[in-house]
Amino acid sequence: MRLIARFAQELQNGIEIVDVYDKEVQKSLLSFESLKIETLTKKYPSAIWMERKINDEFGVEFIDSFDTRPLIKHEHFPSDIYPLRKDFNATEINFTEYKPYDYEAIGGDGVFQVAVGPIHAGIIEPGHFQFSQAGEEILHLEIRHFYKYRAIEKMCEGKEPMNIKKIVERISGNESVAYQIAYVEILAQASNTEIPKSLKQKYSTLLEVERIIHHLTDIGFIANDVGFAPALALGSKLSEEARRVFAKITGHRFGFGAIKEEITIDFGSLIEFLNYLEKELEFFRDWIYDIPSVWDRFDTTGKLSVEKAIKYGVVGVGARASGVKVDARDNDFYKNFGYQMQLGKKGEVSDRFKLRFNEIFNSIEMIKNFETYDNEGLEFGNFKDGEYSAFTESSIGELFMYLKIENGLVDRFFVRDPSFINWQAFHTTIYKDIIADFPLINKSFDLSYAGSDL
Amino acid sequence: MYRYWKKRFATTLEQDEELEAIKKELKKLVKKKFGGSLAIRMVDSGSCNACEAECNALSNPYYNLEELGIHFVASPRHADVMFLSGVMTFNMYHHAIDCYNQIPSPKWVIAIGDCVKDLGVFEKTYAIKGNSIEVTHYIINCPPSPKDIIYGLLKFAKKV
């Protein structure tokens, strides 16, 4: 079984820990008097961030856990509050005295630490990376995130389900459409309706366009990280063109607010662009596949082994490049429209780079099949109380979303971004690579900080 | 080789005359007021990454900000201007202010996106502090498009 998420929610008589696996959901209720439960980390190492987060937010203790350091509570964060409990309503807290964080570090002769972040040299999101180095070689890396922790989960509580849609679509800008689709699916479940097939085709079209834009940007930036700037010029040009087409069909360059109850897509101009893109991309591929100095850096770098990918439950591009068959699109609906799972072999930077090319070609093929001019809409009725969940394949990987409605209001909102899992497996890929390759490996996964931090 | 690439880009690039006019004016102002070079340090204090994506897009062949003498630098100590995006989270607060303090004077702050001004669609929670750094110029929208940002830079350059 693959662990998808472990999260907590407060009920009247205690705190419930929900474990979501790919085949089942397990729930355990802990009474307020004894907030203790067995850790899952022995079997599922990627449960560790989930458990540290629950401990920070609810004060639940995990028995036999190998890591009990705070996760979201940084140096100045008060340690005596449990913000996701229902009795916590403050919107302002004060900084406390500086408490140092105990980083994982490897000792030994000549081994030294390199601290990177939270503010990085490029235009990227904040996060901290602590390297243990033996000369140029990386021995270990600890990733420390949650600098962008905005408490989205708490922000959504107590609101009407329709009112948090605008927040949900801005959790992670690069995956906005995926978040919106997951949320609309949940709302459809809650009002006991089904999304009509033609509308689903349109949603999927927008999701694939979002994936194409994300992959195009990455292709340029990955090559740029080995110093091959012409690829960035071409990749960023193509992604800009794709984004403009996206803006034309959705009204927004990132598709904020694009997933509505009723949408019309100008398939004609979209497919015309895709035909052009396909040709450009074939040129791009044939050109860059022939440049040996690029592949010299891509090959054997940042290897995510199949064993580690399965052990950590890695999802999305990262998993598929290692040959692990995980994709939320792997179902009959998508297969009928030409979906083919793209797989890599070794899980190196080169595999992830090639996989992005292959996925774009597959996405283009699917969009051409998604073409529809039916105008079926979706109508939400009253949202019934209950617990709902949905999965979507964002451009990074499998997204899991959970919503609990009580008395018509949001009682608990939870998202497990694909990055949240993949970040935790990241340190296994860099062992004995040189530190100068770190940005390259990081970009080849291209994970979200905002989605992971929430 | 150069001619080959020039041809490849020239045939497909869509020209935007309004944008070209803004860029021309901005280039003159950068030359006049900043000695032909304006260095920007971008700091994300808790955005959704869309503002960062748009700032990255400024370097693509459509906008090509570098030809105006405006470039993004790796360290605040090399910067004249700080681009600030995001809601300013509790956990980023000290780091963002630290970054601001490292920029040598004279310095200016340009806010990118609605979040810095009024949190945008987000609401105040315990994990959000809100910005307290003095902002010289706001470039609003969620997120501002690359063209909005270039136009905002022009307005900023006129202001200082």
Side-chain angles (χ1 to χ4, degrees), chain A residues 190-202:
Chain A
S191 59
N192 215 354
T193 51
E194 268 200 23
I195 303 174
K197 192 171 172 239
S198 69
L199 191 62
K200 217 172 163 185
Q201 278 166 245
K202 290 176 192 168

Side-chain angles (χ1 to χ4, degrees), chain B residues 91-106:
Chain B
N91 286 342
M92 265 311 279
Y93 187 81
H94 291 94
H95 304 286
I97 288 181
D98 192 19
C99 179
Y100 176 73
N101 290 337
Q102 301 285 329
I103 301 176
S105 290

Side-chain angles (χ1 to χ4, degrees), chain B residues 42-110:
Chain B
M42 174 116 202
V43 176
D44 168 5
S45 71
S47 75
C48 70
N49 200 26
C51 288
E52 281 66 44
E54 294 296 52
C55 286
N56 271 321
L58 287 170
S59 327
N60 74 34
Y62 276 97
Y63 304 103
N64 199 6
L65 205 62
E66 298 243 346
E67 71 177 353
L68 312 180
I70 303 173
H71 41 264
F72 288 94
V73 291
S75 166
R77 294 180 190 177
H78 305 155
D80 306 306
V81 167
M82 178 163 135
F83 266 15
L84 182 67
S85 69
V87 293
M88 189 64 82
T89 61
F90 191 91
N91 286 342
M92 265 311 279
Y93 187 81
H94 291 94
H95 304 286
I97 288 181
D98 192 19
C99 179
Y100 176 73
N101 290 337
Q102 301 285 329
I103 301 176
S105 290
K107 55 186 166 185
W108 300 273
V109 177
I110 299 179

Side-chain angles (χ1 to χ4, degrees), chain A residues 57 72 74 76-78 83-84 88 90-95 118-126 146-152 154-155 159 166-167 170-174 221 233-234 236-237 240-241 243-244 252-254 256 276 280 283 287 450, chain B residues 1 4-5 8-9 12-14 16 19 41-57 59-63 72-75 87 89-96 99 121-129 142-143 145-146:
Chain A
E57 292 176 335
I72 57 144
H74 280 196
H76 291 282
F77 207 103
L84 247 64
F88 182 90
T91 54
E92 184 72 52
I93 49 173
N94 294 322
F95 295 113
I119 299 176
H120 298 269
I123 309 175
I124 58 166
E125 304 176 78
F146 305 95
Y147 287 92
K148 301 184 81 168
Y149 176 65
R150 293 160 288 179
I152 299 277
K154 190 80 178 183
M155 202 187 289
K159 293 199 169 57
K166 60 182 194 302
I167 296 175
R170 284 169 175 83
I171 291 175
S172 171
N174 278 333
F221 272 106
L234 193 53
S236 62
K237 172 178 170 280
E240 172 71 22
E241 284 163 349
R243 207 177 273 298
R244 286 184 183 187
H252 194 282
R253 280 169 62 90
F254 287 81
F256 292 174
Y276 154 79
E280 286 290 293
F283 160 79
W287 166 55
Chain B
M1 189 73 182
Y4 169 77
W5 280 104
R8 186 142 200 112
F9 275 96
T12 47
L13 274 185
E14 221 176 272
D16 181 343
L19 178 69
R41 176 71 268 238
M42 174 116 202
V43 176
D44 168 5
S45 71
S47 75
C48 70
N49 200 26
C51 288
E52 281 66 44
E54 294 296 52
C55 286
N56 271 321
S59 327
N60 74 34
Y62 276 97
Y63 304 103
F72 288 94
V73 291
S75 166
V87 293
T89 61
F90 191 91
N91 286 342
M92 265 311 279
Y93 187 81
H94 291 94
H95 304 286
C99 179
V121 302
F122 298 109
E123 278 165 36
K124 179 96 178 66
T125 66
Y126 59 92
I128 295 175
K129 265 284 169 197
C142 183
S145 70

